[in-house]
Amino acid sequence: MSRSILPARALRGSLRPPSDRSITIRAALLAGIAHGESAIYAPLHSDDTEAALSCLARLGVPIVEHDGALRIRGHGLRGLRAPIQPLFCNASGTTIRLMAGLVAGQRFDTTLDGNEQLRRRPMRRVTEPLQQMGAQIEDTNGCAPLRVHAAQAPLRGIDYTLPIASAQVKSALLLAGLYADSPVVVREPAPTRDHTERLLRGLGVEVTPQPQGEGTRIMLTPPERPLPAFELTVPADFSSAAFFIVAAVLTPGSTVRLTEVGLNPTRTGLLDILNAMGAQFTVEAIGEACGEPIGTVEVRASELRGVEVSGALIPRAIDELPILAVAATQAHGVTVVRNAEELRVKESNRLEGFLAELRKLGARAEPTADGFVVEGPTPLRGATVDGLNDHRVAMSLAVAALVADRQTTLLGAECVAKTYPHFFEDLATLRAEL
Ligand code: S3P
């Protein structure tokens, strides 16, 4: 499906972005192995979260939706049932990698698979350390499908240094650690999103983070008691808010308020970067939801200057680097991003493919070996661009189109449903408030 996007005069109004994808998936998985009925309020409904729920259903976990909450009845750590069919994770990297950790210690066989796009993404980063824990797991030339054989004995604890900063791999090892006979230690080179740790701690599991150099050392002690059922409310997803944060910064005359947004510091690197670029915004903390800080972000149109981004900031902004590239096209000076080679193995190659699409709009943006360089400010021109079946590419191009001189046609716009099914409707609401 293609979408026509006209330049915007200004964006105005208040919006609650959709709920957090990473937290919805983690909460659902934990509810599936807790003891009793958990309630997840304000869950995200999107392609990725539906994939996670369908996998849980195949593991015999009853899930109903009632009064705006997902009600998931877990039967304890050993309550999952052998699936008759492969667990189909569709395009969700978070689902397949976290599920790999969850099923690694089960006493039954499981196959984890996904669509063609997911089958191209690297899985050895998760199968290798799980094998070191004693899991019988095989990948297919480093990718999905993953075949997990019934564990004959408890998994072993591990002290593992992540070669790349990855919250998905860390989370898989922590979930596998629930089935281990001794503690699991994960050392990450830079702090990555810690939603799994926060949720597990909320359920009484001993998970202790400790700063180590630029990164973090996390230790999980396998629990002796069942995980209790829980209730939580999922905050709005900072990564979805990010598109309207940048859209408001770039579109003259804009003022946009984003409410109930998750402000976990492992996720909000974009705010630090925009601050360094000179963007005008305020952040008002309003409290907590499911052990996560939440608040309101209010953004105004602002002049930006180029910035250099690298190191520990990268994992804190990993999913926002495409929209940062869009912001950089309108900034005065050069923006340089380094240490972001992971962008090559996301839903699409977000260094080569995405920047090529952005150049079709007139951007001066080039990939480097481990990041990109964008020169600004550049007047963008409307053109036909392709979302590359990558939600964040499609939404980033849609935001770029708002500051182009004429209409842009975005091909493959439906892929936004991976995390933000109502993206275009929300964009229309912010345009209509003038
Ligand atoms: C995610 C972690 C990140 C991120 C992805 C979601 C998660 O991936 O890019 O969109 O929910 O844990 P990596 O852990 O591979 O860096």
Side-chain angles (χ1 to χ4, degrees):
M1 180 187 62
S2 73
R3 288 263 179 183
S4 299
I5 302 160
L6 289 168
R9 282 198 292 144
L11 301 177
R12 297 273 169 83
S14 183
L15 185 79
R16 191 225 187 246
S19 288
D20 193 283
R21 181 262 315 250
S22 293
I23 297 176
T24 302
I25 293 177
R26 285 161 167 78
L29 264 53
L30 289 175
I33 53 168
H35 195 75
E37 187 179 277
S38 296
I40 303 172
Y41 290 92
L44 174 67
H45 286 292
S46 74
D47 289 355
D48 271 11
T49 57
E50 296 309 325
L53 295 181
S54 85
C55 291
L56 274 180
R58 285 191 177 180
L59 290 165
V61 176
I63 304 171
V64 293
E65 186 141 17
H66 183 59
D67 280 348
L70 280 175
R71 292 178 190 273
I72 301 183
R73 182 169 286 282
H75 291 100
L77 284 168
R78 291 284 169 204
L80 301 176
R81 283 206 316 260
I84 299 162
Q85 290 167 292
L87 306 187
F88 184 68
C89 305
N90 199 7
S92 175
T94 304
T95 299
I96 196 166
R97 295 197 180 108
L98 269 61
M99 267 292 170
L102 189 70
V103 300
Q106 307 293 339
R107 295 184 185 127
F108 51 75
D109 295 355
T110 312
T111 299
L112 290 157
D113 205 354
N115 70 5
E116 250 180 64
Q117 186 186 51
L118 190 65
R119 279 180 168 204
R120 285 195 294 269
R121 298 183 62 187
M123 293 297 147
R124 196 143 294 166
R125 52 182 62 194
V126 66
T127 55
E128 221 164 59
L130 288 172
Q131 283 163 356
Q132 289 179 28
M133 292 179 74
Q136 310 285 318
I137 181 168
E138 292 149 29
D139 52 50
T140 310
N141 299 321
C143 297
L146 309 179
R147 285 177 225 290
V148 187
H149 301 287
Q152 305 299 328
L155 297 178
R156 295 188 289 274
I158 190 175
D159 184 336
Y160 190 71
T161 301
L162 294 177
I164 30 167
S166 165
Q168 292 177 354
V169 178
K170 170 179 67 175
S171 298
L173 301 184
L174 295 177
L175 292 173
L178 299 173
Y179 297 86
D181 59 3
S182 57
V184 163
V185 174
V186 184
R187 299 169 197 264
E188 47 185 11
T192 67
R193 65 192 68 191
D194 63 355
H195 307 305
T196 309
E197 296 92 302
R198 287 174 188 249
L199 287 170
L200 284 169
R201 267 199 299 278
L203 302 184
V205 181
E206 211 183 305
V207 188
T208 34
Q210 232 178 50
Q212 189 191 50
E214 279 238 299
T216 315
R217 168 191 186 272
I218 302 111
M219 180 161 103
L220 174 140
T221 306
E224 279 165 15
R225 271 168 284 153
L227 307 183
F230 58 90
E231 293 201 352
L232 60 78
T233 302
V234 182
D237 197 321
F238 181 83
S239 296
S240 295
F243 298 104
F244 293 123
I245 292 175
V246 171
V249 166
L250 297 189
T251 314
S254 298
T255 314
V256 169
R257 264 165 68 90
L258 299 157
T259 62
E260 291 174 43
V261 179
L263 295 173
N264 182 320
T266 60
R267 298 284 300 278
T268 53
L270 179 72
L271 292 180
D272 297 349
I273 298 168
L274 287 175
N275 190 39
M277 295 175 87
Q280 290 179 46
F281 61 88
T282 57
V283 179
E284 190 197 342
I286 57 167
E288 278 208 352
C290 68
E292 301 269 346
I294 62 166
T296 308
V297 182
E298 189 165 321
V299 194
R300 289 169 179 281
S302 331
E303 289 275 306
L304 299 179
R305 51 182 176 269
V307 72
E308 298 206 359
V309 184
S310 63
L313 201 43
I314 296 294
R316 295 181 53 232
I318 188 71
D319 290 343
E320 287 65 67
L321 295 175
I323 193 64
L324 170 65
V326 174
T329 67
Q330 303 308 301
H332 294 264
V334 182
T335 293
V336 183
V337 170
R338 296 193 185 87
N339 312 129
E341 47 281 90
E342 272 297 293
L343 291 181
R344 294 184 189 277
V345 293
K346 296 295 178 188
E347 283 84 338
S348 71
N349 182 332
R350 291 181 182 165
L351 291 183
E352 308 288 339
F354 166 60
L355 294 179
E357 295 305 309
L358 202 52
R359 285 197 298 274
K360 291 182 186 166
L361 296 172
R364 286 181 285 159
E366 294 294 338
T368 60
D370 70 342
F372 56 79
V373 177
V374 179
E375 283 175 52
T378 308
L380 298 185
R381 33 171 212 270
T384 296
V385 288
D386 195 312
L388 306 177
N389 197 23
D390 180 339
H391 55 144
R392 302 207 196 280
V393 167
M395 291 186 272
S396 297
L397 293 170
V399 170
L402 299 177
V403 293
D405 62 346
R406 67 186 102 103
Q407 180 176 305
T408 291
T409 302
L410 174 62
L411 305 176
E414 68 281 356
C415 67
V416 302
K418 193 168 198 285
T419 49
Y420 201 156
H422 303 297
F423 173 76
F424 292 103
E425 290 76 6
D426 282 356
L427 175 57
T429 313
L430 294 178
R431 298 172 79 121
E433 304 247 340
L434 271 187

